[in-house]
Amino acid sequence: MTFELVLVLAAGLFSVGLFGALSQQSIVMIMMGIELMIGGVIVAAADFWHFLAPAAADGQVVIVVAVVAMAVEMAMGFAVTTALYRARQVDTTDMARELKG
Amino acid sequence: MEAVSLWGLGVVALACAVAVFACDSMARATFALLGSLVCVGGVVFVLGLPYLGVVTVLMMVMEMVVMAVFMVAYMMNPAGLMPMSMLHNKRGALGISAAVFASLTGAVFLVDWPQRRGSPPRDTTFQVGKALMGGQMLTMVVLGFVLLATMVAATVLALHRGRYDRLGDDLDRCPARDPAGGGVGR
């Protein structure tokens, strides 16, 4: 039963993050939503590794990939935010409708 | 014991995740996200992966502290002193995420999961290290290139004036075009 409940936790984290990524206007808050979604992926991967296939390392490798994805997303998100803000003093998605420099 | 700590960590993780989008104060939202992701690291730890759990916690602490700085720099309402809605299409987003949650949860309980195969190794850190340096080497190489490309691209994007702004497209302008004069021979 614990296996299913941890998967529900992962689904909950993913859905809360999805709500944030869809509904927030601020670019930084959207990134927080995406972080939560990747957090859900990490929980699910650890759960699958522990309860289904502990002898294979693949579950652990998925966690490594997810953590790297988090770092890359943060770095690129802040770089794009900085570039966008410098070019047109914009910090919300609604004000950045047309993607031109 | 394992089930109790998983329950505790899971409830705190979900509560903090909801608080991220319920708080007015951006600083509080950032630290709620930190709490949620630290609990994610804790869940990974309890599930028998101490190395990856600790790595996740350490990385999240650093990331969220950096994020707090950016939040205060870029948000229109960093301290939450002026309650305002910063949402768009709230109802649609709620509907979509509720539908996703319902279908994922339904799948979790409907799928006929396989039985556990094998037993965990004595040293899980050794297991992941051996995989990354052996069978999963391609994954590791790709991750390395992705991180390198991210470093270069993030620097280029965040740079105000690079050498091509100063020295021209062929890097041969002399003297360099700088906003303020000065220096030797200018």
Side-chain angles (χ1 to χ4, degrees):
Chain A
M1 199 58 205
T2 315
F3 169 67
E4 280 91 354
L5 285 177
V6 176
L7 276 186
V8 171
L9 165 67
L13 286 175
F14 187 87
S15 309
V16 173
L18 183 66
F19 167 74
L22 288 178
S23 70
Q24 297 289 326
Q25 283 190 19
S26 156
I27 300 172
V28 184
M29 290 296 276
I30 293 176
M31 283 162 55
M32 292 175 118
I34 300 175
E35 296 269 307
L36 273 178
M37 291 164 77
I38 302 180
V41 173
I42 290 180
V43 170
D47 195 37
F48 281 125
W49 178 85
H50 182 81
F51 286 103
L52 294 190
D58 303 353
Q60 297 204 57
V61 175
V62 171
I63 298 181
V64 172
V65 173
V67 170
V68 171
M70 265 184 173
V72 168
E73 175 248 320
M74 280 274 290
M76 287 314 291
F78 282 134
V80 169
T81 314
T82 305
L84 201 59
Y85 192 81
R86 183 172 283 143
R88 34 177 57 198
Q89 273 75 48
V90 158
D91 67 344
T92 63
T93 47
D94 289 351
M95 289 157 75
R97 254 172 223 281
E98 60 293 270
L99 287 172
K100 60 182 184 190
Chain B
M1 186 60 205
E2 183 191 280
V4 173
S5 33
L6 281 180
W7 263 99
L9 288 168
V11 170
V12 176
L14 274 182
C16 286
V18 173
V20 171
F21 302 112
C23 281
D24 269 337
S25 154
M26 288 307 114
R28 263 180 233 151
T30 313
F31 284 102
L33 181 62
L34 172 60
S36 180
L37 293 173
V38 165
C39 287
V40 166
V43 168
V44 174
F45 190 98
V46 173
L47 285 176
L49 299 172
Y51 170 69
L52 288 177
V54 171
V55 164
T56 311
V57 170
L58 288 178
M59 238 190 82
M60 290 313 128
V61 171
M62 286 308 296
E63 261 190 48
M64 291 310 131
V65 173
V66 173
M67 199 169 221
V69 173
F70 274 90
M71 285 300 249
V72 176
Y74 282 125
M75 294 294 291
M76 36 216 172
N77 188 18
L81 298 175
M82 189 172 51
M84 58 197 269
S85 172
M86 287 183 301
L87 302 174
H88 53 191
N89 193 13
K90 187 177 179 186
R91 203 171 301 151
L94 259 180
I96 293 176
S97 43
V100 167
F101 180 69
S103 52
L104 284 177
T105 313
V108 165
F109 287 104
L110 288 181
V111 169
D112 185 20
W113 298 105
Q115 284 297 312
R116 189 186 206 200
R117 243 182 299 165
S119 55
R122 212 158 40 87
D123 188 351
T124 53
T125 314
F126 184 77
Q127 187 192 31
V128 67
K130 205 173 151 206
L132 286 177
M133 288 299 131
Q136 299 281 352
M137 177 67 101
L138 184 62
T139 317
M140 197 63 198
V141 171
V142 171
L143 289 183
F145 277 117
V146 167
L147 283 172
L148 178 65
T150 306
M151 280 190 261
V152 174
T155 312
V156 169
L157 276 176
L159 211 58
H160 182 36
R161 296 181 75 244
R163 55 184 182 155
Y164 292 102
D165 297 304
R166 297 185 66 231
L167 302 173
D169 288 341
D170 297 324
L171 295 178
D172 57 358
R173 186 186 293 144
C174 189
R177 186 193 292 154
D178 286 327
V184 182
R186 287 181 235 162

